[in-house]
Amino acid sequence: MFPGATAEREGADARGHESDRDGANFVVVGAPLDATTTFQPGTRFGPRRIRTFAESFDDYDRRTDQYFSDLDVTDHGDVRAWDDIEAYLEWLEGTLRDVVWDDAIPLMLGGEHTVSLAGARAAEPEVVVSLDAHLDLRDAYDGNPLSHAAVMRRILDDVDSVEELFVLGARTGSEAEWERAADDDVTVVAPEDVGDWSFADRLEGRDVYLSVDIDAADPAYAPGTGTMEPFGLEPRELRDVVRDVAPHATGFDVVEVNDRDDGQTASLAGKLVREFVFSNADGTGDA
Amino acid sequence: MFPGATAEREGADARGHESDRDGANFVVVGAPLDATTTFQPGTRFGPRRIRTFAESFDDYDRRTDQYFSDLDVTDHGDVRAWDDIEAYLEWLEGTLRDVVWDDAIPLMLGGEHTVSLAGARAAEPEVVVSLDAHLDLRDAYDGNPLSHAAVMRRILDDVDSVEELFVLGARTGSEAEWERAADDDVTVVAPEDVGDWSFADRLEGRDVYLSVDIDAADPAYAPGTGTMEPFGLEPRELRDVVRDVAPHATGFDVVEVNDRDDGQTASLAGKLVREFVFSNADGTGDA
Amino acid sequence: MFPGATAEREGADARGHESDRDGANFVVVGAPLDATTTFQPGTRFGPRRIRTFAESFDDYDRRTDQYFSDLDVTDHGDVRAWDDIEAYLEWLEGTLRDVVWDDAIPLMLGGEHTVSLAGARAAEPEVVVSLDAHLDLRDAYDGNPLSHAAVMRRILDDVDSVEELFVLGARTGSEAEWERAADDDVTVVAPEDVGDWSFADRLEGRDVYLSVDIDAADPAYAPGTGTMEPFGLEPRELRDVVRDVAPHATGFDVVEVNDRDDGQTASLAGKLVREFVFSNADGTGDA
Amino acid sequence: MFPGATAEREGADARGHESDRDGANFVVVGAPLDATTTFQPGTRFGPRRIRTFAESFDDYDRRTDQYFSDLDVTDHGDVRAWDDIEAYLEWLEGTLRDVVWDDAIPLMLGGEHTVSLAGARAAEPEVVVSLDAHLDLRDAYDGNPLSHAAVMRRILDDVDSVEELFVLGARTGSEAEWERAADDDVTVVAPEDVGDWSFADRLEGRDVYLSVDIDAADPAYAPGTGTMEPFGLEPRELRDVVRDVAPHATGFDVVEVNDRDDGQTASLAGKLVREFVFSNADGTGDA
Amino acid sequence: MFPGATAEREGADARGHESDRDGANFVVVGAPLDATTTFQPGTRFGPRRIRTFAESFDDYDRRTDQYFSDLDVTDHGDVRAWDDIEAYLEWLEGTLRDVVWDDAIPLMLGGEHTVSLAGARAAEPEVVVSLDAHLDLRDAYDGNPLSHAAVMRRILDDVDSVEELFVLGARTGSEAEWERAADDDVTVVAPEDVGDWSFADRLEGRDVYLSVDIDAADPAYAPGTGTMEPFGLEPRELRDVVRDVAPHATGFDVVEVNDRDDGQTASLAGKLVREFVFSNADGTGDA
Amino acid sequence: MFPGATAEREGADARGHESDRDGANFVVVGAPLDATTTFQPGTRFGPRRIRTFAESFDDYDRRTDQYFSDLDVTDHGDVRAWDDIEAYLEWLEGTLRDVVWDDAIPLMLGGEHTVSLAGARAAEPEVVVSLDAHLDLRDAYDGNPLSHAAVMRRILDDVDSVEELFVLGARTGSEAEWERAADDDVTVVAPEDVGDWSFADRLEGRDVYLSVDIDAADPAYAPGTGTMEPFGLEPRELRDVVRDVAPHATGFDVVEVNDRDDGQTASLAGKLVREFVFSNADGTGDA
Ligand SMILES: [Mn+2]
Ligand SMILES: [Mn+2]
Ligand SMILES: [Mn+2]
Ligand SMILES: [Mn+2]
Ligand SMILES: [Mn+2]
Ligand SMILES: [Mn+2]
Ligand SMILES: [Mn+2]
Ligand SMILES: [Mn+2]
Ligand SMILES: [Mn+2]
Ligand SMILES: [Mn+2]
Ligand SMILES: [Mn+2]
Ligand SMILES: [Mn+2]
């Protein structure tokens, strides 16, 4: 269970409206999919590891003067994954949609980035903000359109509500991905420019889905991920984006955390979940 | 490249009969599939790790008075995996069939156990010997009939040439698997009995495919595998079975090695590959 | 949650009789105490790690023809530890006593060996069987009578119901411990002799508490423990003792598992929990 | 032995004034206490690990044009810890007080942060500077007033000489801790502000004790610590504070280093010990 | 094989002009020497590890609009090392000289820094740029003039063509090394100043050899190296130097990568190899 | 310092007869040579690691009713290694010869096996007993006659006093080594036969040097070694040989322990040192 959250009752894994999370503002959902990871596997252990390394954080947040345990966060547990990705995403989407219908915000813990497709389908945002070293705009990867490397393309193309995508921290992609990224509905902010980037009014009045692929961070801060890409963001840059976007967000995930490090990656991911919750609840962003 | 083997030319990964392995007696084929691993992933690193940890072995084998490098072993390299298991198995089968048609014996390095289905299809044996902690006789796992946990069932049901299966070292399975194992075409030898087990005349004059799931060994000897199962075999017991079966075998694999240990598992796997080659070439088994 | 068990409701950590484990036959209780570990710390991660590595085991047990999930095992979760050992043991004892009063058998997952004192106090057995590399019969260690190295002495001296102690696999101790072990109420079986040891009628009709310090196993099988001691037991020897004793046992624990290995230790510990449950439920032991 | 230091004679662990460190300017004292670590244990290995990873540093320091081995550093060895924290701290204080009475500066290698209480008691400073991610101003933690999480509170409240506390790099704490931190005798400098922070005349003419909790650094630089807290300091920021404070310091420690990483943490800690010694001996700070 | 490169034919390890790398612009050469590593060994695994962790990089580079696989990079494989350093360096020099004579640029993957001597001898540059935490200007180390700690001294003193050495990121050395560094033919740029450093016209029209000792980076980014030295460079600083120097370079190496981390170090090293190739091929540097 | 031993005074590393080990019966000497390790390096950390993992052993040995700390064991510390193997061996031999001249028995902690040459030269035994997976009878390895793989050949050929060599547990070697092993002065006992092997009167009245290459053990028990070789000895078999040989031995070493495991290897090595000391002091062997 995510520290400071309340557990849903047993059986919650079976989707159903008779859940006991009445009044929850946020619902943690583990999505340990680990099927299309290209290089180093282990994202199946991401949700567990994030919960574990979040244990040492204080309940109280001084910046927003709030207690995490006061913010009505429920932990749904994990939606156990299997190897039929399409079926899994549908099932996962159902779980997340129930959260949305309960007027709560899903906090999804990946699992590979592919799970964000279920998140976006459930939240139906107008804008998606993706913190990622990669564009994830491939048409398909190894012939698989449901690959983590194609997830933002899927969201752009298949989720009707989505009008615009911001990719922050991206530093690599195929030529075709960069071409797709040049279209009007995509804005890419290079790692060097994220510190000075401001969403200004771009998110005002729009529903936003925020997805954090932990490999957006430099490998020094997040070596426990599937495809390290040097020259990345610093944690405070990730944090400040999360703070800025959270007040506008109706869905959130942090993905691509695995267990192949000393815990730095999960610690950072858990902190970003909390920053999201504090900032969304507080409603004022970083300013 | 497997130490002591000769590399095939570049491009060999693309299947074609114009290979330069003329005269090879054995062909190493890496099959780094890592798609249905249930618990700890990492079999994608199995082939690389086995080759690496085999580097410290002597070329000369005193028991059979042979040099490994004299036995015409070629290393084909890896058949790169992707996440369409069915398509991958077909492609892999093609590669292995070419080996068989060249009158050589494939030595497949897994990868998850599922790859043995390609091995059996290519070698078309009458008998399969499986060293494994698990029966792998499920009809399907998580709805997937091409799961590592169903591979022996697939081989029994779908590979026409196969008449009989021996599972040595098995110590766990579902009730349905044990029921299937009670049929006439399956013989299960418990870990406690493997030391005294003899194939007697059972393999005489028959084509055999030998598959070593490294989790047959006790976790002390092979912690780097996906699903550890205590109370397993000792390495010498595995070795003696390999020596016994090798003279009858037309195909061989060692599977389920991952990179989550200190190298013990890959070291054992590499040694068993060599024992197979020495014993097959020598033709006399352990006696 | 221990795989195959049912979770108790949230709040169960707060001791109270209104638990929902009505009808449970076995109750898993995590006791992550990690206060007096002499050498390598980490037993605080033992319960979590045992539960994790038990995930890959089959629900069905062929030897006893039973399903683990049919045997009414409830998982109480962990009784969170703090650094006042005496107070913690009392609190823990309360939790375990509730289990006993519910006519269920506690299955405690350590944590350091000290927690067995709470287990014995709650179960009030006549006989204690300890599988351990160490005698744990010190009067105190570093001046602390509540040290893991003194736990069997505490149990013998302070738990009135206890008449006799069997220590199996012990291979080291201080001179004073060996002297205490020479008394009539203690029987020590050396690792070399455990394989041939039989309890014969010694446990007949008596209430037994079975405690497994995982360092009883040779370090090859259980390197993830606080004080490795070479020349230990093989897993099948541990297993056979567990099978023999389980039908007589009213309390069980497995302790001293930490996270400083590749999972072998937790895998073995989880397996022994299951062997205990299957054998106790089956009631017939190993014969 | 700390590289470049001279060993005290055997028996030095037993406190006594007949030590052979006559003329020593600095005395390294290992304090491997590992009793109240909240999350990841292992600080007991801190002193050993710091000494080991300091082996690869050059003896010569170019900035101050000094040789470490010329600066009369003696290594007292470790003051072996046990689990009676109060008694241990008293014993440790005695060892450190001897150092102070010999007109030398103790360089304590932790061990958990609690040991700084012994350091402050022995050095009796007017000012304490703490580099730490945490405020450590709790009244008690889990009911224990001698917890690492309460050490600065203990020092403020119980060490009479102490007038003022600076906590640099702190980014988390309970609400009560932040309230205590708002008092006049405490100054907290957020991680973002440490780079521009200057002590100006604040330390002039006052005796200072400098304590470095290595978790002040961002987890990327120091993952081998008990409670990682993202968004931390960079090593050069830590270094510059050490250089600034060292000329005023009469006592120093670096704490909370464990063995759960690849050595980065111990390497950084060892470097900071040396920066302290060079800067104190040189007497001029960073300017 | 370095991802995106083409393998040389088998037998290429035996030096000879009948290689099939006709037309190659760059030739990767592994030089796994691991003989004089002072502290943590393992550079023998450097080349393998760099190749492995480069697998997850995109072929396409957006900044220069080039495909790595279009740039005619051949991978020669490793020049297997043995313990006669002098003989090994000669043999290695021969291999690298063949590359130079083929009008290609060697990309050497270390191995310890000593191998750069072979690189410089083969490339015969006028200028050497060394990114390194250390000066490596010792006359000898432990009496060995062919130590990694003396490699830049050897190059300066023994390679006739070399007129000038730039050491960027150096932060430690013996007093004698700093004195040698004060000579006119050496320029040292402290880590703090590398970000603002510009070669201006200093490299114009001169043949340059670029050597990257990965310990130039801060240990957070490169813990997998023999002698960590805190307070180092950030990856983008390393990258920008590589981009600046590459257009002038006729030889390149990245050295001192070992296997004692989670892959961050090899990932960074592989990225720098690619930045070198892209920038050299593009010819325009970072501007 | 080896637990239970007494430290020699500082400066002891510099050879000299004014040592303070008067009356010592045994002298621990660390020999961290790590120069010719073929595969996995790290033997330089062997002595430190053995001492560390020996910390958890009881002082008292029940079998022989002795206290380790009563047996006059002194720890000389390490003889720091450098890369001129020949010079190092001479220096090391001097240190060991001093031990022998003081009528004490050297207990050398390796380091690579090559150091046994210094041990044999110093002890001048008539018989050498080597527990090893390898014959170590090469004439040279990679052209180096002072390789670990040639150490027993060097001892046989170059140490005049040596008449006979027993290699127990050997299971691999080159053809030439096996031929040399067939000579009258060498006896090889296969791993399978070690359990039943008895020296009978073969050691009676002769001075014996006992060398334990830890890779004699199966990799399950000793994965932390340079060249794992499966199908090895069990720890009790190693132990029983040590017990048998110790009463006849005038020199002892345990070598080839590195730091690439979870401590199992060092724990076993430390235990064997103690078994040697207890058995030698007791004088009666295993019987
Ligand atoms: Mn992504
Ligand atoms: Mn990504
Ligand atoms: Mn299998
Ligand atoms: Mn299996
Ligand atoms: Mn115990
Ligand atoms: Mn024990
Ligand atoms: Mn602190
Ligand atoms: Mn702290
Ligand atoms: Mn260098
Ligand atoms: Mn360097
Ligand atoms: Mn050996
Ligand atoms: Mn050897």
Side-chain angles (χ1 to χ4, degrees), chain B residues 90 116 216 277:
Chain B
E90 273 173 39
S116 297
V277 169

mmCIF file of all heavy atoms in Angstrom, chain B residues 90 116 216 277:
data_model
loop_
_atom_site.group_PDB
_atom_site.id
_atom_site.type_symbol
_atom_site.label_atom_id
_atom_site.label_comp_id
_atom_site.label_asym_id
_atom_site.label_seq_id
_atom_site.Cartn_x
_atom_site.Cartn_y
_atom_site.Cartn_z
ATOM 1 N N GLU B 90 8.206 -19.320 -35.051
ATOM 2 C CA GLU B 90 8.302 -19.804 -36.431
ATOM 3 C C GLU B 90 9.627 -19.439 -37.066
ATOM 4 O O GLU B 90 10.272 -20.234 -37.733
ATOM 5 C CB GLU B 90 7.146 -19.233 -37.258
ATOM 6 C CG GLU B 90 5.900 -20.085 -37.166
ATOM 7 C CD GLU B 90 4.716 -19.430 -37.848
ATOM 8 O OE1 GLU B 90 4.905 -18.819 -38.914
ATOM 9 O OE2 GLU B 90 3.598 -19.509 -37.286
ATOM 10 N N SER B 116 11.823 -24.036 -26.605
ATOM 11 C CA SER B 116 12.004 -25.464 -26.887
ATOM 12 C C SER B 116 10.970 -25.975 -27.875
ATOM 13 O O SER B 116 11.191 -26.996 -28.544
ATOM 14 C CB SER B 116 11.900 -26.282 -25.589
ATOM 15 O OG SER B 116 12.923 -25.919 -24.699
ATOM 16 N N ALA B 216 15.688 -26.838 -12.911
ATOM 17 C CA ALA B 216 15.750 -28.214 -12.404
ATOM 18 C C ALA B 216 16.740 -28.311 -11.254
ATOM 19 O O ALA B 216 16.536 -29.044 -10.287
ATOM 20 C CB ALA B 216 16.143 -29.170 -13.528
ATOM 21 N N VAL B 277 28.043 -31.698 -25.720
ATOM 22 C CA VAL B 277 28.848 -31.795 -26.943
ATOM 23 C C VAL B 277 29.891 -32.899 -26.824
ATOM 24 O O VAL B 277 30.037 -33.743 -27.719
ATOM 25 C CB VAL B 277 29.501 -30.437 -27.255
ATOM 26 C CG1 VAL B 277 30.551 -30.579 -28.353
ATOM 27 C CG2 VAL B 277 28.436 -29.425 -27.657
#
